[in-house]
Amino acid sequence: MMEKKYVAEPFRIKAVEPLKMLTRAEREEKIQAAKYNLFNLAGEDCYIDLLTDSGTNAMSQDQWAGIMRGDEAYAGSSSYYKLMDAGKDIFGYGFIQPVHQGRAAEKVLLPLFLSEGKFAISNMFFDTTRAHVILAGARPIDCVVEEAKDPKVRAKFKGNMDVRKLEETINEKGIENVGLVVMTITNNSAGGQPVSMENLRAVSEICKKYDLPMCIDAARFAENAHFIKRDEDGYQDKEIKEIIREMFSYGDMFTMSAKKDAILNIGGLLGIKDGDSPLVLDVKANCISYEGFFTYGGLAGRDLEAMAIGLYEGIEENYLEYRIGQMEYLAARLDEAGIAYQSPVGGHGVFIDAADMFPDIPYYEFPAQTLCIELYKEAGIRTCDIGSYMLGNDPDTNEQLKADFEFSRLAIPRRVYTQAHLDIMADALIAIKERASDVKKGYRITWEPPILRHFQAHLEPIE
Ligand SMILES: *Cc1c(COP(=O)(O)O)cnc(C)c1O
């Protein structure tokens, strides 16, 4: 196999953050005290923190300078107008609403379309989006393409919606009962897998045919645009911004966690294509109730300023090549070692197929959570279960659901870790793989909250 060359950083380092290294015995103690839930660990006890790529990014000198320039006016701050201009320019939408993070956009927007008895259909809902569909009284349905469900199938655009299934589901549930169609780009829960322009176009046509609103869950819009440019016919010579404009032209609105591709530590956006739509007034009203006045949306003026700058840095082509290059480098090392992951590698992390690593552990003993715990014990690496443990229980029957995948996600923060860190990740996974046949039992939950349980649940090893 050809060795994958690491794409060098298009920046150099100006400020450093020291890391603490614990011994294996100390790590074993810490994870037990955390009730085997990695969210309960102190950040400083994690040598390499890959829990999420959300809000864990390194801001640039320009963003930090923007923090000082942030205008803290309660209403109409200059930072708000700067952000509005950036949002309109990049996405081509008429109205842009800042919110404090992605789930806030969901809380503001989803109840305007969803209520008891309604369905929301997505290529695949992210966990907070799924939760907000349920909190609005509706039910979420995923219609991702079949190839997404087999981590070994190396297909392009595995994040796509299965458009035939979408249309069947609309007709089966009744058009009047479908409140919203959501396209998650990239498809986070399927492994950061991209969605093609062709698929966005096809879904938009179905939405128009049935007069259904289409919302883009846009957390990783820039990474998605990079994949379209790299892999979809006819886009190689287009600018990333042109591609983004076309992607968003197919939706009516978007919700976005700016903690991802806007390279921030906190922030979110909501966009409405038609700036004159009555929906804008409803969004502003909900925002004032839940988030704050609509010109700051639960953020400080300095955050709005940093977001306006980060939105542009996140769509730079050099940056995106380096960024996706990190995933490709790590994936190539796993290929060499025969470690299965959602392939080809997606945008924001490497999703290890824990069901393949630990074939003896059934879904209800959480193989992916088991691998996350092993990675922490092995090398102090903190990762996240994207499998049955995260999926939780059926809201109607309370039975443990079986996820389509059992992934342990190594989410890579933006502009934070180096090639040597990536090698430590690969070496740790290789060491675990070598002793994987000794790991025959997983974990059981001893306490869980009713919704989004994986953040808080307590676990214990099954003896
Ligand atoms: C992170 C994320 C969200 C939620 O955003 P927060 O900023 O964490 O509230 C929603 N959808 C997707 C696809 C995400 O990745």
Side-chain angles (χ1 to χ4, degrees):
M1 205 165 298
M2 212 173 72
E3 203 183 311
K4 165 75 195 164
K5 202 160 182 279
Y6 184 83
V7 180
E9 284 77 7
F11 53 83
R12 59 187 175 188
I13 296 165
K14 182 177 278 185
V16 296
E17 185 181 355
L19 297 173
K20 191 166 96 181
M21 292 170 100
L22 301 176
T23 64
R24 186 179 175 106
E26 285 169 329
R27 292 195 294 266
E28 282 177 359
E29 233 167 72
K30 298 279 182 194
I31 191 70
Q32 186 184 13
K35 307 259 197 295
Y36 298 97
N37 183 335
L38 294 109
F39 287 92
N40 287 335
L41 288 169
E44 64 171 11
D45 292 333
C46 303
Y47 174 54
I48 298 180
D49 199 348
L50 309 178
L51 187 63
T52 175
D53 62 318
S54 177
T56 52
N57 310 299
M59 291 210 297
S60 66
Q61 59 181 1
D62 288 343
Q63 286 177 297
W64 281 112
I67 292 275
M68 274 313 296
R69 282 196 307 268
D71 175 0
E72 302 302 340
Y74 186 95
S77 90
S78 62
S79 303
Y80 166 72
Y81 291 113
K82 191 167 171 185
L83 177 61
M84 262 284 199
D85 288 346
K88 287 178 178 175
D89 175 41
I90 292 170
F91 304 110
Y93 277 25
F95 175 71
I96 301 289
Q97 173 64 62
V99 289
H100 85 276
Q101 61 183 91
R103 69 199 69 184
E106 293 159 4
K107 183 176 185 210
V108 163
L109 190 73
L110 296 189
L112 299 172
F113 293 91
L114 300 173
S115 55
E116 199 100 3
K118 295 261 187 195
F119 295 90
I121 309 174
S122 179
N123 51 342
M124 208 162 194
F125 283 103
F126 176 66
D127 55 350
T128 63
T129 323
R130 181 183 307 280
H132 277 288
V133 168
I134 295 170
L135 286 167
R139 290 292 175 260
I141 301 174
D142 291 339
C143 290
V144 73
V145 290
E146 273 309 304
E147 57 265 32
K149 295 178 187 170
D150 186 345
K152 293 193 177 69
V153 174
R154 294 200 178 211
K156 286 179 185 171
F157 301 108
K158 280 170 87 169
N160 281 354
M161 176 89 88
D162 180 334
V163 283
R164 218 195 49 194
K165 202 163 156 202
L166 167 65
E167 201 159 4
E168 279 169 13
T169 309
I170 293 170
N171 288 309
E172 184 198 312
K173 298 297 178 191
I175 301 161
E176 66 287 359
N177 296 324
V178 178
L180 196 62
V181 174
V182 178
M183 284 300 272
T184 311
I185 61 170
T186 56
N187 188 330
N188 184 352
S189 308
Q193 292 293 318
V195 171
S196 69
M197 196 71 90
E198 189 187 10
N199 193 247
L200 282 165
R201 202 178 298 128
V203 170
S204 147
E205 274 162 22
I206 291 175
C207 288
K208 289 208 173 73
K209 176 171 161 192
Y210 294 102
D211 200 21
L212 294 172
M214 175 167 158
C215 179
I216 299 178
D217 182 356
R220 298 180 184 80
F221 72 99
E223 292 172 6
N224 201 84
H226 174 85
F227 285 110
I228 288 175
K229 183 174 167 109
R230 193 187 75 181
D231 291 340
E232 191 162 350
D233 287 343
Y235 289 93
Q236 277 71 52
D237 298 326
K238 293 214 159 100
E239 304 239 334
I240 287 287
K241 201 163 110 187
E242 259 183 290
I243 296 174
I244 292 167
R245 281 283 192 111
E246 185 181 341
M247 280 161 43
F248 282 79
S249 74
Y250 298 120
D252 301 302
M253 63 197 95
F254 71 82
T255 56
M256 188 180 123
S257 170
K259 300 170 72 175
K260 283 80 173 231
D261 279 2
I263 326 187
L264 288 181
N265 303 124
I266 193 72
L269 281 183
L270 194 164
I272 311 284
K273 188 197 270 164
D274 173 6
D276 299 321
S277 156
L279 185 58
V280 170
L281 291 178
D282 293 337
V283 163
K284 284 181 174 171
N286 274 357
C287 193
I288 291 170
S289 302
Y290 298 135
E291 286 288 282
F293 189 62
F294 64 85
T295 67
Y296 71 88
L299 292 170
R302 53 183 171 269
D303 301 323
L304 305 177
E305 190 81 21
M307 197 190 313
I309 298 165
L311 280 169
Y312 284 106
E313 292 182 359
I315 65 174
E316 276 172 20
E317 310 218 354
N318 288 342
Y319 157 75
L320 284 167
E321 248 165 67
Y322 142 77
R323 164 83 180 144
I324 304 302
Q326 284 206 318
M327 313 305 146
E328 291 170 340
Y329 175 81
L330 180 53
R333 286 222 44 206
L334 301 182
D335 283 337
E336 258 169 58
I339 292 172
Y341 59 93
Q342 175 64 302
S343 62
V345 72
H348 63 286
V350 179
F351 290 59
I352 309 296
D353 184 353
D356 184 84
M357 178 86 82
F358 300 133
D360 296 331
I361 302 178
Y363 72 94
Y364 49 84
E365 289 182 14
F366 314 129
Q369 180 68 8
T370 305
L371 178 55
C372 293
I373 293 164
E374 289 301 316
L375 268 167
Y376 180 72
K377 290 199 251 178
E378 180 69 32
I381 298 170
R382 174 155 72 168
T383 55
C384 181
D385 172 293
I386 307 274
S388 298
Y389 171 59
M390 181 179 94
L391 185 60
N393 301 319
D394 185 305
D396 297 315
T397 67
N398 212 32
E399 263 183 54
Q400 173 65 52
L401 295 165
K402 183 180 189 307
D404 288 326
F405 326 101
E406 300 295 344
F407 288 142
S408 301
R409 181 182 75 174
L410 282 70
I412 313 292
R414 293 166 185 74
R415 307 190 290 208
V416 171
Y417 291 112
T418 64
Q419 182 174 14
H421 290 122
L422 295 178
D423 283 328
I424 289 174
M425 300 169 203
D427 293 343
L429 282 162
I430 290 165
I432 294 168
K433 168 134 179 126
E434 278 164 8
R435 57 178 169 77
S437 56
D438 300 338
V439 184
K440 294 203 181 322
K441 292 208 181 296
Y443 288 77
R444 77 165 68 86
I445 291 178
T446 58
W447 174 81
E448 63 186 304
I451 202 157
L452 292 174
R453 69 153 182 222
H454 65 291
F455 289 118
Q456 297 191 76
H458 299 168
L459 301 111
E460 68 183 12
I462 294 169
E463 297 307 335

